[in-house]
Amino acid sequence: LGACLDRKTSVSFALRENIVRLPELIRLGILQAACYGAACLPFAGGAALTYWFLLGDRDINYYLAFRPWNWYVALVIGGVLGAGSIFLVTWLFVRWIFSVPAVVFEKTTALGAMSMSWRRTRSRFWSMAIVLGSWWLAVFVASLATNGLIGMGATRLLDNAGLSLALVLPTVLGTLALVTAAGLAWLIAGKIGYSLMVVGLYLEEAEPQDRQAKADWVPPGISPARLRMLGWAGAGVALLVALGSGALLLEGLNLERPIAVTAHRGRSLKAPENTLSAIRQAIADGADYAEIDVQTTADGVVVMMHDGDLARIGSVARRLETIEYEELKTCLLYTSDAAD
């Protein structure tokens, strides 16, 4: 708040203000999370009913493979429910946007802060939503662009790395580190800009005679100097732990280990998945391993199959756990004869 009034404010002082009000801030977070969850319950219930009535009778892989009409209807209904829940949560978020400043600067209770914010945002909802939404959209686009540039560079490096683990592993780890660092940098920048905008909007709504008192308020408790020392000590310990963990991880890696190739469900692009012919084709293509899936029939016989029912591979909307092995062979044989 002091920074928005052109005053010199230290990070430790700002942290001190928040630490003093931390118990009430925690109560505020729990109360708001409960409200968000309650607001989303009807949408979650609608999504569950949509899945139950439109997609519940067959394995999800059937819908992913064949995409019948009820798949698209479920997607449309789910999209509408998702958009509605996002709009409602966003609306509540903007209406309670002054809750944190009220707790920190006005020393109100969590419920009182939410009530105050609700009153002060009644006439300015859309203007504040557009400003804050535009800011976060810009941060998101900038973050995507940064990750895209990092990805392009990593792709070029991996194209030249071949199958050497000594080259692939550092490239992948370096890319992950860059992506993480860039994401944290944009998140911090986004939070700083967001916080400044929220405090600026809060000052616009605050009474003029209250601004000076709020800016001059000094919280009791630990001093900023002591808090700064604790912060640096904590950062140093975290850095040492990270360096030690990284060193142990790298020491245990075998960079000379060859890369193994696994055929998913056998060589399922050239032969029926999870069959002996798919495994033989994987061996012929030079795979080191073949991944297979197994299910059990109603009488406990283990069969090689991925889905929980026969809808995708046998056009029979029955679950394997309800079919005995002899009947299963009949179902698959009938399906094979029909296809011929």
Side-chain angles (χ1 to χ4, degrees), residues 288-316:
D288 299 288
Y289 302 96
E291 179 269 345
I292 60 173
D293 306 280
V294 296
Q295 304 278 351
T296 55
T297 60
D299 50 349
V301 179
V302 178
V303 294
M304 291 173 58
M305 192 172 297
H306 177 272
D307 298 354
D309 60 29
L310 302 175
R312 181 171 63 92
I313 64 170
S315 301
V316 179

Side-chain angles (χ1 to χ4, degrees), residues 210-223:
D210 294 338
R211 297 181 184 177
Q212 189 69 27
K214 293 183 177 85
D216 292 338
W217 175 65
V218 176
I222 188 171
S223 67

Side-chain angles (χ1 to χ4, degrees), residues 98-121:
F98 295 147
S99 299
V100 172
V103 169
V104 174
F105 302 128
E106 300 184 23
K107 295 180 282 187
T108 61
T109 63
L111 191 59
M114 292 171 63
S115 177
M116 180 278 296
S117 180
W118 193 273
R119 292 193 305 271
R120 295 185 183 180
T121 57

Side-chain angles (χ1 to χ4, degrees), residues 31 38 61 63 67 84 91 95 102 105-106 134 143 145 155 182 214 281 291 323 325 327 340:
L31 182 58
N61 288 283
Y63 298 105
R67 300 181 181 180
W91 182 72
R95 293 302 302 270
F105 302 128
E106 300 184 23
S134 299
S143 178
T155 300
K214 293 183 177 85
Q281 186 62 54
E291 179 269 345
I323 306 175
Y325 179 65
E327 184 184 2
D340 293 339

Side-chain angles (χ1 to χ4, degrees), residues 158 160-173 250 252-260:
L158 289 174
N160 298 322
L163 295 179
S164 172
L165 193 61
L167 296 176
V168 172
L169 186 60
T171 302
V172 172
L173 292 179
L250 292 175
L253 291 176
N254 181 11
L255 297 180
E256 302 300 325
R257 183 180 59 186
I259 295 178

Side-chain angles (χ1 to χ4, degrees), residues 9 30 37 47 50 71-72 83 139 166-167 211 219 234-235 238-239 248 254 317 322:
T9 302
I30 294 174
T50 300
W71 167 257
Y72 291 103
V139 172
L167 296 176
R211 297 181 184 177
L239 180 60
L248 292 175
N254 181 11
T322 65

